[in-house]
Short mmCIF file of all heavy atoms in Angstrom, two decimals:
data_model
loop_
_atom_site.label_atom_id
_atom_site.label_comp_id
_atom_site.label_asym_id
_atom_site.label_seq_id
_atom_site.Cartn_x
_atom_site.Cartn_y
_atom_site.Cartn_z
N MET A 252 3.57 -22.51 20.70
CA MET A 252 3.40 -22.55 19.26
C MET A 252 4.77 -22.47 18.59
O MET A 252 5.60 -21.64 18.94
CB MET A 252 2.51 -21.39 18.82
CG MET A 252 2.07 -21.48 17.41
SD MET A 252 0.59 -20.46 17.21
CE MET A 252 1.11 -19.40 15.92
N GLU A 253 4.99 -23.31 17.61
CA GLU A 253 6.27 -23.37 16.93
C GLU A 253 6.41 -22.23 15.93
O GLU A 253 5.48 -21.95 15.18
CB GLU A 253 6.39 -24.71 16.20
CG GLU A 253 7.74 -24.92 15.55
CD GLU A 253 7.84 -26.30 14.92
OE1 GLU A 253 7.28 -27.24 15.50
OE2 GLU A 253 8.45 -26.40 13.86
N GLU A 254 7.58 -21.58 15.94
CA GLU A 254 7.81 -20.50 14.98
C GLU A 254 8.08 -21.07 13.60
O GLU A 254 8.75 -22.10 13.46
CB GLU A 254 9.02 -19.66 15.41
CG GLU A 254 8.67 -18.61 16.41
CD GLU A 254 9.74 -17.55 16.54
OE1 GLU A 254 10.45 -17.26 15.56
OE2 GLU A 254 9.87 -17.02 17.65
N LYS A 255 7.57 -20.39 12.60
CA LYS A 255 7.83 -20.78 11.22
C LYS A 255 8.80 -19.78 10.63
O LYS A 255 8.52 -18.58 10.61
CB LYS A 255 6.52 -20.81 10.42
CG LYS A 255 6.70 -21.35 9.04
CD LYS A 255 5.38 -21.47 8.32
CE LYS A 255 5.62 -21.98 6.91
NZ LYS A 255 4.45 -21.80 6.08
N LYS A 256 9.91 -20.25 10.16
CA LYS A 256 10.96 -19.40 9.60
C LYS A 256 10.41 -18.47 8.52
O LYS A 256 9.62 -18.89 7.68
CB LYS A 256 12.05 -20.32 9.00
CG LYS A 256 13.21 -19.61 8.37
CD LYS A 256 14.26 -20.59 7.92
CE LYS A 256 13.81 -21.32 6.68
NZ LYS A 256 14.87 -22.14 6.08
N ALA A 257 10.81 -17.22 8.58
CA ALA A 257 10.39 -16.26 7.55
C ALA A 257 11.06 -16.62 6.23
O ALA A 257 12.25 -16.97 6.19
CB ALA A 257 10.76 -14.84 7.95
N GLU A 258 10.30 -16.55 5.16
CA GLU A 258 10.83 -16.84 3.83
C GLU A 258 10.51 -15.67 2.90
O GLU A 258 9.45 -15.05 3.01
CB GLU A 258 10.21 -18.12 3.27
CG GLU A 258 10.59 -19.34 4.08
CD GLU A 258 10.03 -20.63 3.51
OE1 GLU A 258 9.14 -20.60 2.64
OE2 GLU A 258 10.51 -21.68 3.95
N PHE A 259 11.42 -15.37 2.01
CA PHE A 259 11.30 -14.26 1.08
C PHE A 259 11.38 -14.80 -0.34
O PHE A 259 12.25 -15.59 -0.65
CB PHE A 259 12.44 -13.26 1.30
CG PHE A 259 12.50 -12.72 2.70
CD1 PHE A 259 13.03 -13.47 3.73
CD2 PHE A 259 12.01 -11.46 2.98
CE1 PHE A 259 13.07 -12.98 5.03
CE2 PHE A 259 12.05 -10.95 4.26
CZ PHE A 259 12.57 -11.71 5.29
N LYS A 260 10.44 -14.34 -1.16
CA LYS A 260 10.44 -14.80 -2.55
C LYS A 260 10.20 -13.61 -3.47
O LYS A 260 9.23 -12.87 -3.30
CB LYS A 260 9.33 -15.83 -2.77
CG LYS A 260 9.25 -16.33 -4.19
CD LYS A 260 8.15 -17.37 -4.35
CE LYS A 260 8.06 -17.83 -5.80
NZ LYS A 260 6.95 -18.78 -5.99
N VAL A 261 11.08 -13.43 -4.43
CA VAL A 261 10.94 -12.37 -5.42
C VAL A 261 10.16 -12.92 -6.61
O VAL A 261 10.54 -13.94 -7.18
CB VAL A 261 12.33 -11.86 -5.90
CG1 VAL A 261 12.16 -10.86 -7.03
CG2 VAL A 261 13.08 -11.23 -4.74
N PHE A 262 9.07 -12.24 -6.95
CA PHE A 262 8.32 -12.61 -8.14
C PHE A 262 8.86 -11.83 -9.33
O PHE A 262 9.01 -10.61 -9.25
CB PHE A 262 6.83 -12.29 -7.96
CG PHE A 262 6.12 -13.29 -7.10
CD1 PHE A 262 6.21 -13.22 -5.72
CD2 PHE A 262 5.40 -14.32 -7.67
CE1 PHE A 262 5.57 -14.15 -4.91
CE2 PHE A 262 4.75 -15.26 -6.88
CZ PHE A 262 4.84 -15.17 -5.50
N LYS A 263 9.14 -12.54 -10.43
CA LYS A 263 9.63 -11.88 -11.62
C LYS A 263 8.64 -10.81 -12.08
O LYS A 263 7.43 -11.10 -12.20
CB LYS A 263 9.85 -12.90 -12.74
CG LYS A 263 10.46 -12.30 -13.98
CD LYS A 263 10.76 -13.37 -15.01
CE LYS A 263 11.41 -12.71 -16.21
NZ LYS A 263 11.75 -13.70 -17.24
N ASN A 264 9.13 -9.60 -12.29
CA ASN A 264 8.30 -8.46 -12.73
C ASN A 264 7.17 -8.15 -11.74
O ASN A 264 6.12 -7.63 -12.16
CB ASN A 264 7.71 -8.72 -14.12
CG ASN A 264 8.77 -9.03 -15.15
OD1 ASN A 264 9.89 -8.56 -15.06
ND2 ASN A 264 8.43 -9.85 -16.12
N GLY A 265 7.36 -8.48 -10.46
CA GLY A 265 6.32 -8.26 -9.47
C GLY A 265 6.86 -8.06 -8.08
O GLY A 265 8.01 -7.64 -7.91
N PRO A 266 6.05 -8.34 -7.08
CA PRO A 266 6.38 -8.01 -5.70
C PRO A 266 7.35 -8.99 -5.03
O PRO A 266 7.74 -10.00 -5.61
CB PRO A 266 5.02 -8.06 -5.01
CG PRO A 266 4.28 -9.11 -5.77
CD PRO A 266 4.71 -8.95 -7.20
N LEU A 267 7.67 -8.64 -3.80
CA LEU A 267 8.44 -9.51 -2.90
C LEU A 267 7.46 -10.11 -1.90
O LEU A 267 6.75 -9.36 -1.21
CB LEU A 267 9.50 -8.69 -2.15
CG LEU A 267 10.24 -9.38 -1.02
CD1 LEU A 267 11.18 -10.45 -1.58
CD2 LEU A 267 11.03 -8.37 -0.19
N GLN A 268 7.38 -11.41 -1.86
CA GLN A 268 6.50 -12.09 -0.91
C GLN A 268 7.28 -12.45 0.34
O GLN A 268 8.40 -12.97 0.25
CB GLN A 268 5.93 -13.37 -1.52
CG GLN A 268 5.07 -14.15 -0.54
CD GLN A 268 4.60 -15.47 -1.11
OE1 GLN A 268 4.76 -15.78 -2.27
NE2 GLN A 268 4.00 -16.28 -0.27
N ILE A 269 6.68 -12.17 1.50
CA ILE A 269 7.24 -12.60 2.78
C ILE A 269 6.21 -13.47 3.46
O ILE A 269 5.04 -13.07 3.60
CB ILE A 269 7.61 -11.41 3.70
CG1 ILE A 269 8.54 -10.44 2.98
CG2 ILE A 269 8.26 -11.93 4.98
CD1 ILE A 269 8.86 -9.18 3.79
N SER A 270 6.63 -14.65 3.88
CA SER A 270 5.73 -15.56 4.58
C SER A 270 6.44 -16.12 5.80
O SER A 270 7.65 -15.96 5.96
CB SER A 270 5.26 -16.68 3.64
OG SER A 270 6.38 -17.39 3.15
N GLY A 271 5.68 -16.78 6.65
CA GLY A 271 6.24 -17.32 7.89
C GLY A 271 6.04 -16.34 9.03
O GLY A 271 5.15 -15.49 8.99
N ASP A 272 6.87 -16.45 10.06
CA ASP A 272 6.76 -15.56 11.23
C ASP A 272 7.70 -14.37 11.07
O ASP A 272 8.90 -14.54 10.91
CB ASP A 272 7.11 -16.33 12.51
CG ASP A 272 6.07 -17.38 12.85
OD1 ASP A 272 4.91 -17.21 12.43
OD2 ASP A 272 6.43 -18.36 13.50
N PHE A 273 7.13 -13.18 11.10
CA PHE A 273 7.91 -11.94 10.98
C PHE A 273 7.08 -10.79 11.50
O PHE A 273 5.86 -10.93 11.74
CB PHE A 273 8.30 -11.67 9.51
CG PHE A 273 7.11 -11.42 8.64
CD1 PHE A 273 6.58 -10.13 8.49
CD2 PHE A 273 6.48 -12.45 7.98
CE1 PHE A 273 5.47 -9.90 7.71
CE2 PHE A 273 5.37 -12.23 7.19
CZ PHE A 273 4.85 -10.95 7.06
N GLU A 274 7.70 -9.65 11.68
CA GLU A 274 7.02 -8.40 12.00
C GLU A 274 7.55 -7.35 11.05
O GLU A 274 8.76 -7.26 10.83
CB GLU A 274 7.27 -7.98 13.45
CG GLU A 274 6.68 -8.94 14.47
CD GLU A 274 7.07 -8.57 15.89
OE1 GLU A 274 8.16 -8.02 16.10
OE2 GLU A 274 6.27 -8.85 16.80
N LEU A 275 6.67 -6.54 10.48
CA LEU A 275 7.05 -5.46 9.58
C LEU A 275 6.81 -4.13 10.29
O LEU A 275 5.69 -3.87 10.74
CB LEU A 275 6.22 -5.53 8.29
CG LEU A 275 6.51 -4.43 7.25
CD1 LEU A 275 7.92 -4.58 6.70
CD2 LEU A 275 5.49 -4.50 6.12
N PHE A 276 7.84 -3.30 10.40
CA PHE A 276 7.76 -2.02 11.10
C PHE A 276 7.80 -0.85 10.12
O PHE A 276 8.48 -0.92 9.08
CB PHE A 276 8.95 -1.87 12.06
CG PHE A 276 8.97 -2.90 13.17
CD1 PHE A 276 9.59 -4.12 12.98
CD2 PHE A 276 8.36 -2.64 14.37
CE1 PHE A 276 9.61 -5.07 13.99
CE2 PHE A 276 8.36 -3.58 15.40
CZ PHE A 276 8.99 -4.80 15.21
N ASP A 277 7.12 0.25 10.47
CA ASP A 277 7.22 1.47 9.67
C ASP A 277 8.42 2.29 10.14
O ASP A 277 9.17 1.87 11.04
CB ASP A 277 5.91 2.28 9.73
CG ASP A 277 5.60 2.83 11.12
OD1 ASP A 277 6.48 2.86 11.99
OD2 ASP A 277 4.43 3.23 11.32
N SER A 278 8.61 3.46 9.56
CA SER A 278 9.80 4.27 9.86
C SER A 278 9.80 4.82 11.28
O SER A 278 10.84 5.24 11.79
CB SER A 278 9.90 5.43 8.86
OG SER A 278 8.75 6.24 8.93
N ALA A 279 8.63 4.80 11.95
CA ALA A 279 8.54 5.26 13.34
C ALA A 279 8.72 4.11 14.33
O ALA A 279 8.65 4.31 15.53
CB ALA A 279 7.19 5.94 13.57
N GLY A 280 8.93 2.92 13.81
CA GLY A 280 9.12 1.76 14.68
C GLY A 280 7.85 1.08 15.10
O GLY A 280 7.86 0.21 15.96
N GLU A 281 6.72 1.47 14.48
CA GLU A 281 5.44 0.85 14.80
C GLU A 281 5.23 -0.37 13.90
O GLU A 281 5.55 -0.33 12.71
CB GLU A 281 4.29 1.84 14.57
CG GLU A 281 4.39 3.10 15.42
CD GLU A 281 4.24 2.84 16.91
OE1 GLU A 281 3.43 1.97 17.28
OE2 GLU A 281 4.95 3.50 17.69
N ILE A 282 4.64 -1.40 14.47
CA ILE A 282 4.38 -2.61 13.68
C ILE A 282 3.27 -2.32 12.68
O ILE A 282 2.19 -1.84 13.04
CB ILE A 282 3.98 -3.79 14.59
CG1 ILE A 282 5.19 -4.22 15.43
CG2 ILE A 282 3.48 -4.96 13.76
CD1 ILE A 282 4.87 -5.35 16.40
N ILE A 283 3.56 -2.59 11.41
CA ILE A 283 2.55 -2.45 10.37
C ILE A 283 1.71 -3.72 10.30
O ILE A 283 0.50 -3.67 10.23
CB ILE A 283 3.21 -2.19 8.99
CG1 ILE A 283 3.97 -0.87 9.00
CG2 ILE A 283 2.17 -2.20 7.89
CD1 ILE A 283 4.75 -0.59 7.73
N THR A 284 2.38 -4.87 10.32
CA THR A 284 1.65 -6.13 10.24
C THR A 284 2.52 -7.29 10.68
O THR A 284 3.75 -7.22 10.61
CB THR A 284 1.14 -6.39 8.81
OG1 THR A 284 0.30 -7.55 8.81
CG2 THR A 284 2.28 -6.62 7.82
N ARG A 285 1.84 -8.33 11.13
CA ARG A 285 2.46 -9.63 11.39
C ARG A 285 1.79 -10.68 10.51
O ARG A 285 2.08 -11.84 10.62
CB ARG A 285 2.26 -10.04 12.85
CG ARG A 285 2.91 -9.15 13.87
CD ARG A 285 2.67 -9.75 15.26
NE ARG A 285 3.41 -9.05 16.28
CZ ARG A 285 2.85 -8.17 17.13
NH1 ARG A 285 1.58 -7.91 17.06
NH2 ARG A 285 3.58 -7.58 18.04
N GLN A 286 0.83 -10.21 9.71
CA GLN A 286 0.03 -11.13 8.91
C GLN A 286 0.88 -11.75 7.80
O GLN A 286 1.67 -11.06 7.16
CB GLN A 286 -1.14 -10.37 8.29
CG GLN A 286 -2.14 -11.25 7.62
CD GLN A 286 -3.33 -10.45 7.12
OE1 GLN A 286 -3.30 -9.22 7.09
NE2 GLN A 286 -4.36 -11.14 6.72
N SER A 287 0.71 -13.01 7.56
CA SER A 287 1.49 -13.73 6.56
C SER A 287 0.56 -14.45 5.60
O SER A 287 -0.45 -15.02 6.05
CB SER A 287 2.39 -14.75 7.27
OG SER A 287 3.07 -15.54 6.35
N PRO A 288 0.86 -14.47 4.31
CA PRO A 288 1.96 -13.78 3.65
C PRO A 288 1.60 -12.35 3.32
O PRO A 288 0.43 -11.97 3.31
CB PRO A 288 2.14 -14.60 2.37
CG PRO A 288 0.75 -15.03 2.01
CD PRO A 288 0.08 -15.28 3.36
N ILE A 289 2.64 -11.55 3.03
CA ILE A 289 2.44 -10.20 2.52
C ILE A 289 3.22 -10.07 1.21
O ILE A 289 4.14 -10.84 0.95
CB ILE A 289 2.89 -9.10 3.50
CG1 ILE A 289 4.37 -9.20 3.83
CG2 ILE A 289 2.03 -9.14 4.75
CD1 ILE A 289 4.91 -8.00 4.61
N PHE A 290 2.85 -9.07 0.42
CA PHE A 290 3.51 -8.82 -0.85
C PHE A 290 3.94 -7.37 -0.87
O PHE A 290 3.10 -6.46 -0.80
CB PHE A 290 2.55 -9.12 -2.02
CG PHE A 290 2.12 -10.56 -2.04
CD1 PHE A 290 1.02 -10.98 -1.30
CD2 PHE A 290 2.84 -11.49 -2.76
CE1 PHE A 290 0.63 -12.30 -1.29
CE2 PHE A 290 2.46 -12.83 -2.76
CZ PHE A 290 1.36 -13.24 -2.02
N LEU A 291 5.24 -7.14 -0.93
CA LEU A 291 5.79 -5.79 -0.90
C LEU A 291 6.12 -5.31 -2.30
O LEU A 291 6.65 -6.07 -3.13
CB LEU A 291 7.06 -5.74 -0.04
CG LEU A 291 6.87 -6.11 1.44
CD1 LEU A 291 8.22 -6.05 2.16
CD2 LEU A 291 5.87 -5.20 2.11
N CYS A 292 5.81 -4.03 -2.55
CA CYS A 292 6.03 -3.43 -3.86
C CYS A 292 7.53 -3.30 -4.15
O CYS A 292 8.29 -2.84 -3.32
CB CYS A 292 5.37 -2.06 -3.91
SG CYS A 292 5.64 -1.16 -5.45
N ARG A 293 7.92 -3.69 -5.35
CA ARG A 293 9.30 -3.49 -5.83
C ARG A 293 9.35 -2.49 -6.97
O ARG A 293 10.42 -2.05 -7.37
CB ARG A 293 9.90 -4.81 -6.32
CG ARG A 293 10.13 -5.83 -5.24
CD ARG A 293 11.05 -6.95 -5.70
NE ARG A 293 10.67 -7.57 -6.94
CZ ARG A 293 11.48 -7.71 -8.01
NH1 ARG A 293 12.71 -7.28 -7.97
NH2 ARG A 293 11.05 -8.30 -9.11
N CYS A 294 8.18 -2.13 -7.53
CA CYS A 294 8.19 -1.28 -8.73
C CYS A 294 8.10 0.21 -8.40
O CYS A 294 8.38 1.05 -9.24
CB CYS A 294 7.05 -1.68 -9.65
SG CYS A 294 5.41 -1.15 -9.10
N GLY A 295 7.61 0.55 -7.20
CA GLY A 295 7.46 1.95 -6.80
C GLY A 295 6.16 2.58 -7.24
O GLY A 295 5.93 3.77 -7.00
N LYS A 296 5.28 1.84 -7.89
CA LYS A 296 4.03 2.41 -8.42
C LYS A 296 2.81 2.16 -7.55
O LYS A 296 1.73 2.69 -7.82
CB LYS A 296 3.75 1.85 -9.83
CG LYS A 296 4.84 2.15 -10.84
CD LYS A 296 4.97 3.63 -11.07
CE LYS A 296 5.99 3.91 -12.16
NZ LYS A 296 6.23 5.34 -12.33
N SER A 297 2.93 1.38 -6.51
CA SER A 297 1.79 1.05 -5.66
C SER A 297 1.25 2.29 -4.95
O SER A 297 2.02 3.12 -4.45
CB SER A 297 2.18 0.00 -4.62
OG SER A 297 1.10 -0.23 -3.73
N ALA A 298 -0.07 2.40 -4.86
CA ALA A 298 -0.72 3.47 -4.08
C ALA A 298 -0.90 3.04 -2.64
O ALA A 298 -1.44 3.80 -1.83
CB ALA A 298 -2.07 3.81 -4.70
N ASP A 299 -0.45 1.84 -2.30
CA ASP A 299 -0.61 1.27 -0.96
C ASP A 299 0.74 0.82 -0.41
O ASP A 299 0.84 -0.22 0.23
CB ASP A 299 -1.59 0.09 -1.02
CG ASP A 299 -1.98 -0.40 0.37
OD1 ASP A 299 -1.97 0.41 1.31
OD2 ASP A 299 -2.30 -1.60 0.49
N LYS A 300 1.81 1.60 -0.68
CA LYS A 300 3.15 1.22 -0.21
C LYS A 300 3.17 1.06 1.30
O LYS A 300 2.48 1.81 1.99
CB LYS A 300 4.18 2.28 -0.62
CG LYS A 300 4.38 2.36 -2.11
CD LYS A 300 5.44 3.41 -2.40
CE LYS A 300 5.57 3.70 -3.86
NZ LYS A 300 4.54 4.62 -4.38
N PRO A 301 3.89 0.12 1.80
CA PRO A 301 4.88 -0.67 1.09
C PRO A 301 4.31 -1.91 0.40
O PRO A 301 5.07 -2.73 -0.13
CB PRO A 301 5.85 -1.08 2.22
CG PRO A 301 4.95 -1.27 3.40
CD PRO A 301 3.90 -0.18 3.25
N PHE A 302 2.99 -2.04 0.40
CA PHE A 302 2.40 -3.25 -0.16
C PHE A 302 2.15 -3.12 -1.66
O PHE A 302 1.92 -2.03 -2.18
CB PHE A 302 1.07 -3.56 0.56
CG PHE A 302 1.25 -3.71 2.04
CD1 PHE A 302 0.86 -2.69 2.90
CD2 PHE A 302 1.82 -4.85 2.57
CE1 PHE A 302 1.04 -2.81 4.27
CE2 PHE A 302 2.00 -4.99 3.93
CZ PHE A 302 1.62 -3.97 4.79
N CYS A 303 2.17 -4.24 -2.32
CA CYS A 303 1.86 -4.30 -3.75
C CYS A 303 0.35 -4.19 -3.92
O CYS A 303 -0.41 -4.83 -3.19
CB CYS A 303 2.34 -5.65 -4.30
SG CYS A 303 1.81 -6.00 -5.99
N ASP A 304 -0.08 -3.37 -4.89
CA ASP A 304 -1.51 -3.28 -5.20
C ASP A 304 -1.80 -3.73 -6.63
O ASP A 304 -2.89 -3.50 -7.14
CB ASP A 304 -2.03 -1.86 -4.95
CG ASP A 304 -1.50 -0.84 -5.95
OD1 ASP A 304 -0.65 -1.21 -6.80
OD2 ASP A 304 -1.92 0.33 -5.88
N GLY A 305 -0.84 -4.34 -7.26
CA GLY A 305 -1.02 -4.83 -8.62
C GLY A 305 -0.64 -3.84 -9.70
O GLY A 305 -0.69 -4.16 -10.89
N SER A 306 -0.24 -2.63 -9.31
CA SER A 306 0.09 -1.58 -10.29
C SER A 306 1.29 -1.93 -11.15
O SER A 306 1.46 -1.36 -12.23
CB SER A 306 0.34 -0.26 -9.58
OG SER A 306 -0.84 0.21 -8.96
N HIS A 307 2.13 -2.85 -10.70
CA HIS A 307 3.31 -3.23 -11.48
C HIS A 307 2.92 -3.75 -12.87
O HIS A 307 3.68 -3.60 -13.82
CB HIS A 307 4.15 -4.27 -10.74
CG HIS A 307 3.41 -5.52 -10.40
ND1 HIS A 307 2.69 -5.67 -9.22
CD2 HIS A 307 3.26 -6.68 -11.09
CE1 HIS A 307 2.14 -6.88 -9.20
NE2 HIS A 307 2.46 -7.50 -10.33
N LYS A 308 1.71 -4.33 -12.98
CA LYS A 308 1.28 -4.89 -14.26
C LYS A 308 1.06 -3.78 -15.28
O LYS A 308 1.59 -3.83 -16.39
CB LYS A 308 0.01 -5.72 -14.08
CG LYS A 308 0.21 -6.94 -13.21
CD LYS A 308 -1.10 -7.63 -12.91
CE LYS A 308 -0.89 -8.67 -11.84
NZ LYS A 308 -2.17 -9.13 -11.28
N SER A 309 0.27 -2.77 -14.91
CA SER A 309 -0.02 -1.68 -15.84
C SER A 309 1.20 -0.78 -16.04
O SER A 309 1.32 -0.11 -17.07
CB SER A 309 -1.21 -0.84 -15.37
OG SER A 309 -0.96 -0.28 -14.09
N ALA A 310 2.13 -0.79 -15.09
CA ALA A 310 3.35 0.03 -15.20
C ALA A 310 4.38 -0.64 -16.09
O ALA A 310 5.37 0.00 -16.47
CB ALA A 310 3.93 0.29 -13.81
N GLY A 311 4.16 -1.92 -16.40
CA GLY A 311 5.13 -2.63 -17.23
C GLY A 311 6.45 -2.87 -16.51
O GLY A 311 7.50 -2.92 -17.15
N PHE A 312 6.38 -3.04 -15.20
CA PHE A 312 7.59 -3.24 -14.40
C PHE A 312 8.34 -4.48 -14.87
O PHE A 312 7.76 -5.52 -15.12
CB PHE A 312 7.22 -3.38 -12.93
CG PHE A 312 8.38 -3.71 -12.03
CD1 PHE A 312 9.44 -2.83 -11.86
CD2 PHE A 312 8.41 -4.92 -11.35
CE1 PHE A 312 10.51 -3.14 -11.03
CE2 PHE A 312 9.47 -5.23 -10.50
CZ PHE A 312 10.52 -4.34 -10.35
N SER A 313 9.65 -4.33 -14.95
CA SER A 313 10.53 -5.44 -15.33
C SER A 313 11.64 -5.52 -14.30
O SER A 313 12.34 -4.55 -14.06
CB SER A 313 11.09 -5.20 -16.71
OG SER A 313 12.00 -6.21 -17.04
N GLY A 314 11.79 -6.66 -13.72
CA GLY A 314 12.87 -6.82 -12.76
C GLY A 314 12.68 -7.98 -11.84
O GLY A 314 11.70 -8.62 -11.78
S1 FES B 81 5.35 -4.56 -7.28
FE1 FES B 81 3.20 -4.64 -7.39
S2 FES B 81 2.59 -2.58 -7.31
FE2 FES B 81 4.75 -2.49 -7.23
#
């Protein structure tokens, strides 16, 4: 199977999207997910970190 290059996209006032082939590890070195795409929180308000749960909208995140 051919690998698909990982790509990163920052959404204005929202999360960081990662797509393609990658592995995401937690602080203990365990794989959290290989599923693509994922959306990582940039605002710090998500209750499901490191993933975005949409809280950036109600938090009025800008960035
Ligand atoms: S960026 Fe979406 S909850 Fe933080």
Side-chain angles (χ1 to χ4, degrees):
M252 191 158 124
E253 185 176 323
E254 276 196 30
K255 186 175 178 195
K256 180 175 74 171
E258 296 182 346
F259 302 78
K260 179 179 179 183
V261 174
F262 283 80
K263 184 175 182 179
N264 305 329
L267 171 70
Q268 177 185 352
I269 305 175
S270 58
D272 291 335
F273 64 88
E274 295 174 329
L275 179 66
F276 296 88
D277 66 16
S278 59
E281 301 294 323
I282 292 177
I283 297 175
T284 187
R285 296 183 173 104
Q286 189 176 12
S287 175
I289 61 170
F290 299 87
L291 298 179
C292 177
R293 293 195 308 126
C294 75
K296 300 297 184 185
S297 175
D299 190 28
K300 294 182 188 80
F302 303 103
C303 171
D304 69 356
S306 295
H307 58 271
K308 296 172 191 166
S309 59
F312 175 64
S313 176

